[in-house]
Amino acid sequence: SPYPVEIQPTLHPNGTKQCFPQTIIIGVRKGGTRALIEMLSLHPDIVAAESEVHFFDWESNFEKGLYWYISQMPFSYPHQITVEKTPAYFTSSKVPERIYQINSDTKLLLILRDPTERVLSDYTQVFYNRLQKHKHSQPIETVLIKNGEINVDYKAINRSLYYIHMQKWLKYFPLTHIHLVDGDQLIRDPLPEMKKVEKFLSLSPQINASNFYFNKTKGFFCLRDNGRERCLHESKGRAHPQVAPTVLAKLYQFFHQPNKRLFELVGRTFDWH
Ligand code: A3P
């Protein structure tokens, strides 16, 4: 690697420094990326960047250079692993090469979810973002369907065509460097998925059943960290809009072939519609 991957911007007598993340959560948007990074942070050897850095996908940030990126990372001890998550990386075509150029040994985490569910979640996210700006949204069926067919120009549909984006990552990173997390499983039963992530990152087994409890009011698992209990933000786990059964069936049908192509690419299947 032509770049130094760690810096010591200030003298920290406690021996911590900021470094290039050994692992990056690359997506997918609405796949459960926040849950994943929060659950991973339960591990004492993990330190996570607080916000989405958007270094590799936003030109205005990429131009600031590697030292800027590293300066966005939390301080860590030598035995710890730094992680950041920017869900837009997965679908941004320049990102795989850019990460590869800096450190081809970076371990990538990708959390996927039923592509139809992901579309509805994506729509819901945009709906609330617009609402905050007092902007009106088109009804979901209007954006999903164009001339009686699934509207492939709708961004949320494109983002759920996982195989297209995956092909671009596999040009640079072997499958051994990309761990797929089952986002639907992470919702239903987070512990087994997190144990697999621990293994992939060669972490000691520390995350355990007592770290999770089901919150009936939220309808999701919440986290218990050193006795402190917390759920994810209210924007995580929102109700999705009702979609006409015929449109829903069309969506499931639409994703059938793309899903098969992804399964072939990654050598495994997911339990999707
Ligand atoms: P919905 O809000 O559509 O249900 P991201 O963090 O990538 O934006 O993903 C958000 C999704 O994470 C949520 O989508 C939710 O389904 C999922 N999720 C997974 N585990 C969760 C948890 N324990 N609490 C809340 N949301 C969780």
Side-chain angles (χ1 to χ4, degrees):
S1 170
Y3 299 95
V5 292
E6 50 184 49
I7 53 166
Q8 182 118 31
T10 29
L11 207 61
H12 279 265
N14 66 3
T16 61
K17 58 181 180 292
Q18 291 165 298
C19 55
F20 188 82
Q22 292 88 343
T23 182
I24 301 176
I25 298 172
I26 58 172
V28 58
R29 177 180 151 98
K30 304 322 288 175
T33 55
R34 177 53 61 189
L36 178 58
I37 200 166
E38 295 290 321
M39 290 173 182
L40 193 52
S41 299
L42 291 165
H43 198 290
D45 298 347
I46 292 283
V47 287
E50 255 170 55
S51 56
E52 295 177 4
V53 185
H54 284 283
F55 176 63
F56 297 101
D57 60 326
W58 288 358
E59 293 311 310
S60 57
N61 282 340
F62 195 67
E63 281 165 7
K64 293 177 191 167
L66 184 61
Y67 287 130
W68 176 83
Y69 180 55
I70 292 171
S71 76
Q72 303 305 298
M73 296 302 142
F75 284 85
S76 59
Y77 289 102
H79 70 278
Q80 288 179 315
I81 290 178
T82 299
V83 58
E84 78 120 331
K85 76 122 176 157
T86 301
Y89 288 165
F90 179 57
T91 54
S92 180
S93 48
K94 283 184 179 170
V95 176
E97 182 178 8
R98 285 177 169 179
I99 297 179
Y100 178 85
Q101 292 290 348
I102 297 173
N103 185 3
S104 61
D105 204 32
T106 309
K107 305 283 182 292
L108 307 173
L109 293 171
L110 173 63
I111 179 163
L112 295 176
R113 186 178 177 190
D114 186 311
T116 298
E117 280 298 312
R118 204 214 63 79
V119 168
L120 304 184
S121 179
D122 200 324
Y123 172 88
T124 306
Q125 164 90 52
V126 174
F127 178 93
Y128 281 107
N129 286 351
R130 291 179 61 87
L131 195 67
Q132 253 186 355
K133 297 179 198 158
H134 307 283
K135 284 188 189 168
H136 174 262
S137 289
Q138 294 202 296
I140 182 135
E141 272 103 356
T142 311
V143 293
L144 285 177
I145 303 288
K146 196 172 162 185
N147 303 324
E149 295 303 322
I150 296 296
N151 179 10
V152 291
D153 296 330
Y154 179 36
K155 263 190 187 168
I157 297 279
N158 178 275
R159 292 190 191 108
S160 278
L161 293 172
Y162 301 145
Y163 80 97
I164 292 180
H165 309 290
M166 195 64 187
Q167 278 171 339
K168 296 179 184 167
W169 287 90
L170 289 173
K171 278 192 186 146
Y172 294 93
F173 291 92
L175 272 177
T176 50
H177 281 56
I178 312 173
H179 178 72
L180 302 183
V181 178
D182 185 329
D184 303 287
Q185 274 301 116
L186 194 83
I187 293 174
R188 284 193 286 266
D189 189 11
L191 184 60
E193 282 305 312
M194 293 315 297
K195 298 308 281 180
K196 288 178 208 163
V197 176
E198 266 183 346
K199 264 215 180 100
F200 172 70
L201 296 176
S202 304
L203 289 163
S204 60
Q206 303 253 9
I207 303 173
N208 59 72
S210 72
N211 287 128
F212 305 103
Y213 68 97
F214 191 79
N215 183 307
K216 277 190 190 157
T217 316
K218 181 151 177 88
F220 283 85
F221 276 93
C222 297
L223 282 61
R224 193 182 291 113
D225 197 358
N226 291 314
R228 231 184 90 246
E229 295 186 340
R230 66 196 173 87
C231 298
L232 297 199
H233 187 260
E234 61 181 14
S235 65
K236 304 295 178 182
R238 285 183 292 220
H240 297 167
Q242 284 276 338
V243 179
T246 52
V247 175
L248 208 55
K250 245 192 166 87
L251 263 181
Y252 291 147
Q253 173 64 30
F254 174 82
F255 283 118
H256 195 80
Q257 276 305 318
N259 289 349
K260 255 184 80 179
R261 295 189 65 172
L262 176 83
F263 299 164
E264 282 161 16
L265 268 184
V266 300
R268 65 166 282 188
T269 60
F270 287 85
D271 193 13
W272 297 333
H273 280 96

